[in-house]
Structures are given as C-alpha cells and as structure tokens.
Amino acid sequence: MKVTIGHLYPDLFNLYGDSGNVQCLKQRLVWRNMEAEVCPLCAGDEIDFGKLDILVWGGGSDKGQALAVDYLRQIRQDFKDYVEDGGVVLAICGAFQLLGKYYQAGEDRIEGLDILDIHTERCDERLVGNVVLESPLFGTPVVGFENHAGRTIIGDCTPLGKVLYGRGNTGDGGYEGVVYKNVIGSYLHGPLLPKNPEVCDWLLERALRRRYGEDVELKELSDEAELRANRNMAERLGVGKK
C-alpha cells in the first residue's frame, strides 16, 4: 500500500517546524512496511488533488497568508471538493485559519478558502504556551504548543478537543481546533504529530480506508517513547495521572 502526502506551500508556511508532521506521517508508514511519497506543493504549482491521500499545511505569518491568497483562490474549488469527498487534511495555525471564511488582521482582511464556517479575528495579545486537550477521538490527551494572535470562532463546527490547560481557539480556555469529516485544524505546534501518535494514526487510517477500503487496519506500533513524552507533558502541567 502507498500513501501520497502533499505538503502545501512549504515555501510560505514554514514558521514552526510543522514539516515534522509530514516526517511523522511518513515514518509511521515506513515502520509498517508501507510506501510513503511526499510531494512538496509550492506556491504556483499545479495541484492534482486526485493523487493526494493526505494534505498537510503548516503555520505561517500574516505576510505569508496574504501572499497565499491568490494561489488559494485558484485551488479553492478543488480543495473544497477534496474535503467533501473525504480527503484527509491536517491544517496548523495559519492554515487552520485559512480553512475558514476570512482572517481579519486589523484593517486588512485575508480571504480564506471558505471550506469551513469559521472565521478569525486578530487581537493584540498573543496566546503563547503549552496546551493539553481532551478529545473524544483519542484515548490519550492531545498535547502541543500554541503561539497565535488570532481568535478563531468555529460556531457550530466540532472542536478538536476541550482545553484542560492553555487558551485554545478564542483565549477563554474552552475549546481548541476543529474537526470536519477527515479534516483536523489546530493551533497546536510541537510539531503536533510526533507527541500524539493517536492523532497521526487517525489521519493515516482514514487516508488508507479512503484509498483502499474500509477494512484496512493499521498495524499497532509500540509508541513507548511517544506516549512517555505525551504523558510527561500532561503530568508536568498538572492534568495527567501521576
């Protein structure tokens, strides 16, 4: 079996080491003796969404988001069709914001893809620090690091998880991220996936089932080191079992 991972706009969205999410997806396939192909999709490249199993889109600056607007306009419909057809997406920080209708940065409005009914407003205070979430999708906490000035209002959309530690989408410590079909949007850097193997496998399993059928199951990995890192983070922040 082969999984094709598209890395969207690594030339414009590359602030926080989120390329580590691509590496994690690939490595967990390799450990299972599966083939993984990584396709960097730079600004201006023609994108064939039909060839992609997973699309990973990292965090970027306000400037990077503004530069991407014209490129996003060109792929908006194909991107939306991919999502509605069950395409798997991981969108982090600035990319999470651009899945929505717009990002209001002062007097400037950056138009998003309008795939999700969400929007983002920039505030003066940056939300910076460690985060721990409780998500009904996973048996272990989701841990990561947030660094954003945007406040993302997700309305009736489903959040990734409830904030146990940190500030989350709007700074009030309520909820973080968003889940829609096979899409995860989140402010969590780290990168996110190496410390959260369940999240990584959630993405991989959905990509494999979409391509090869619903009976596909991932071979279990030990994940001892990854789960230890996850557990240590949660315990250090006072929200894990001692």
Side-chain angles (χ1 to χ4, degrees):
M1 293 183 180
K2 176 182 177 180
V3 173
T4 301
I5 304 165
H7 187 183
L8 188 62
Y9 302 155
D11 48 340
L12 297 178
F13 293 78
N14 59 1
L15 282 184
Y16 301 108
D18 291 317
S19 60
N21 291 320
V22 175
Q23 297 172 29
C24 186
L25 288 163
K26 178 180 178 179
Q27 188 59 52
R28 290 183 71 79
L29 288 166
V30 170
W31 283 336
R32 293 177 165 107
N33 297 314
M34 296 182 184
E35 186 178 354
E37 179 184 7
V38 176
C39 298
L41 305 169
C42 296
D45 287 353
E46 185 174 345
I47 301 174
D48 184 351
F49 284 88
K51 294 182 178 179
L52 301 179
D53 297 303
I54 302 177
L55 188 66
V56 179
W57 191 7
S61 65
D62 289 359
K63 181 179 179 181
Q65 292 184 54
L67 289 171
V69 167
D70 288 340
Y71 302 113
L72 292 174
R73 190 176 294 116
Q74 295 170 26
I75 67 171
R76 177 181 288 127
Q77 190 58 53
D78 288 341
F79 200 143
K80 186 169 186 176
D81 291 345
Y82 171 77
V83 167
E84 293 301 323
D85 189 45
V88 178
V89 178
L90 176 65
I92 301 295
C93 199
F96 166 33
Q97 295 169 350
L98 290 178
L99 289 176
K101 294 181 177 298
Y102 63 85
Y103 171 45
Q104 190 71 39
E107 296 181 355
D108 299 323
R109 176 171 291 202
I110 300 172
E111 297 299 325
L113 287 163
D114 197 16
I115 292 173
L116 303 182
D117 189 14
I118 66 177
H119 66 277
T120 302
E121 306 273 349
R122 187 178 69 189
C123 294
D124 291 336
E125 179 194 7
R126 292 195 70 84
L127 307 180
V128 183
N130 293 308
V131 179
V132 182
L133 308 178
E134 179 181 60
S135 174
L137 296 176
F138 312 112
T140 55
V142 178
V143 302
F145 188 87
E146 64 182 341
N147 182 358
H148 56 103
R151 306 297 191 270
T152 298
I153 294 86
I154 68 169
D156 293 332
C157 294
T158 302
L160 174 60
K162 180 180 179 181
V163 176
L164 301 180
Y165 186 97
R167 303 294 295 278
N169 288 339
T170 59
D172 62 1
Y175 292 91
E176 203 284 330
V178 70
V179 178
Y180 175 73
K181 294 197 172 188
N182 290 332
V183 175
I184 289 179
S186 176
Y187 277 116
L188 299 190
H189 303 286
L192 174 66
L193 298 185
K195 290 183 181 178
N196 298 282
E198 277 194 84
V199 180
C200 190
D201 284 354
W202 187 92
L203 297 166
L204 289 173
E205 186 172 69
R206 276 149 186 79
L208 286 162
R209 288 181 175 179
R210 179 172 178 259
R211 179 69 69 180
Y212 297 105
E214 288 296 322
D215 59 341
V216 173
E217 292 188 8
L218 288 174
K219 175 186 174 183
E220 287 190 16
L221 301 175
S222 104
D223 293 332
E224 181 180 353
E226 294 89 342
L227 292 176
R228 187 187 309 121
N230 178 292
R231 183 172 59 252
N232 288 348
M233 171 69 78
E235 290 178 356
R236 182 163 62 85
L237 298 175
V239 294
K241 295 180 180 179
K242 299 277 186 174

